[in-house]
Amino acid sequence: MNIRIACIAGMLGAVGCGSAPTGSSPYNYSIPSSADAAASSGASPPPAPPAAGDVLDGATASGSEPDGGGGGDGSSGPATDAAGEDASGITCDTGQVTPDQVVVLGDSYLDPVWANTALDIYADAQDAGSLAANTTYRHYDIGGASMGWGNPDTQWYIPYQYDPMAKTDVSVASPSDIKVVIMDGGGNDVLIGNTSCETTAPPGNTSCAMTVQNAINKAQSTMQEMVSDGVESIVYFFYPHLNPAGGGILLTPAPTVNETLDYAYPLAENVCCGSSFTSTASNYYCTGQPVPGSSTKCIFVDTRPAFEGHIADYIKSDNVHPTPVGAQVIANLVWNAMKANCIAQ
């Protein structure tokens, strides 16, 4: 691909610019271990999110319970053959999903050109013994990608990353055999597609409200396609608050950047979980079905509580992307939610 998108980023999703990977597939970068990543970052390890046993039922508001897990007290689920159990007492079937059956979609919060989040998720999986060393999931994310704005026939359109990119990837033996999707997305719809959202929030800003709703609608239709394709689990994380003073990639100032984010949060939660919920530092995700009655589980991860009071050290000087420490915090949140729900273990 030769398309390049001008760099504008922040708000509902991290954004940025990056050239498309060369060759038939972007599934081609090597992953350092978490120890290597920590050493290269030059930063102290971030404070760990709550242990998975403490956040097992992040979905109490939606009334769903994680498969293979126990109650909020961290009690274990039913033991099974070939099961793996972590320190929180959660017991899961292991080895049920191969790395080729997990795909990563999204924007610059997952693109290693801009943030370490995906690399740290892989390192967390390696440390847990769920992913072999120097092995990755299939990744199609790229900085600058949007959910429902822009050219729908390019990698910079997140639904396109799933279909056709992931589903027809010639570098994979069975590309359409996808069991797990890890993704983010939605920010570039606002910060490239409609920058007025940074200065006037919805619903008063009806143009911004329409932009957000369009992204939500596209996320919903994409998840519905995943359900039809037999995807078993979707893990979707949303973005932390940013500095409304702006600057860097944000407008200067960006007084309503967080108000717009907060407007979008319950809409996105509803698509994934069937209802919205109030997140806390120890209860930061919900679970549900993107298609009611289906067997596909959706996990929605709210990163805001973990970043509360840490914008200065968790967000880079561009005022949008996570620092190495911030990226590790997000990765830990995502991986702990996956562990608690026995996803790709």
Side-chain angles (χ1 to χ4, degrees):
M1 292 187 182
N2 297 318
I3 299 171
R4 293 299 298 260
I5 293 180
C7 289
I8 301 177
M11 217 277 342
L12 290 176
V15 300
C17 296
S19 57
T22 58
S24 61
S25 171
Y27 185 31
N28 56 14
Y29 55 71
S30 61
I31 303 304
S33 69
S34 59
D36 292 338
S40 65
S41 71
S44 300
D54 295 333
V55 297
L56 186 57
D57 193 0
T60 51
S62 62
S64 57
E65 191 72 18
D67 292 343
D73 61 357
S75 57
S76 64
T80 58
D81 293 338
E85 183 173 336
D86 66 16
S88 65
I90 299 168
T91 304
C92 302
D93 284 334
T94 60
Q96 305 300 302
V97 176
T98 66
D100 279 358
Q101 293 175 319
V102 183
V103 303
V104 182
L105 316 173
D107 55 36
S108 57
Y109 260 51
L110 285 164
D111 183 349
V113 172
W114 294 93
N116 292 348
T117 310
L119 305 182
D120 291 333
I121 292 172
Y122 302 150
D124 282 350
Q126 290 170 3
D127 289 347
S130 301
L131 192 62
N134 298 316
T135 302
T136 76
Y137 301 135
R138 293 165 53 192
H139 47 88
Y140 304 91
D141 48 82
I142 190 169
S146 65
M147 184 62 70
W149 176 86
N151 188 336
D153 297 320
T154 70
Q155 186 179 2
W156 283 273
Y157 196 71
I158 293 170
Y160 183 91
Q161 295 174 8
Y162 176 69
D163 186 7
M165 284 190 74
K167 289 171 63 174
T168 63
D169 188 342
V170 297
S171 72
V172 181
S174 301
S176 63
D177 183 14
I178 299 169
K179 300 302 184 188
V180 177
V181 174
I182 301 170
M183 64 186 297
D184 73 335
N188 292 322
D189 299 76
V190 169
L191 293 210
I192 294 176
N194 191 346
T195 59
S196 73
C197 298
E198 293 183 61
T199 55
T200 308
N205 183 345
T206 56
S207 173
C208 181
M210 290 177 62
T211 298
V212 171
Q213 190 60 54
N214 184 54
I216 293 295
N217 291 345
K218 183 54 66 174
Q220 183 172 39
S221 64
T222 302
M223 288 186 187
Q224 289 170 346
E225 180 180 358
M226 293 173 183
V227 172
S228 296
D229 291 339
V231 172
E232 296 174 356
S233 302
I234 302 166
V235 183
Y236 196 116
F237 73 85
F238 233 40
Y239 311 96
H241 280 164
L242 302 173
N243 188 343
I249 299 175
L250 294 177
L251 297 180
T252 308
T256 62
V257 63
N258 294 330
E259 291 179 51
T260 303
L261 177 66
D262 293 342
Y263 172 84
Y265 249 94
L267 300 176
E269 290 163 359
N270 191 68
V271 167
C272 188
C273 301
S275 63
S276 60
F277 77 109
T278 300
S279 178
T280 68
S282 61
N283 189 46
Y284 62 90
Y285 71 86
C286 63
T287 71
Q289 291 76 39
V291 174
S294 72
S295 61
T296 302
K297 174 180 288 185
C298 189
I299 312 293
F300 182 93
V301 177
D302 182 348
T303 61
R304 291 173 297 178
F307 274 63
E308 188 68 29
H310 289 283
I311 290 179
D313 49 322
Y314 286 3
I315 298 292
K316 292 179 180 179
S317 60
D318 65 12
N319 290 319
V320 170
H321 299 102
T323 63
V325 175
Q328 183 69 71
V329 168
I330 295 174
N332 289 356
L333 293 172
V334 170
W335 181 248
N336 280 353
M338 291 174 65
K339 285 197 303 180
N341 288 273
C342 295
I343 297 172
Q345 301 302 297

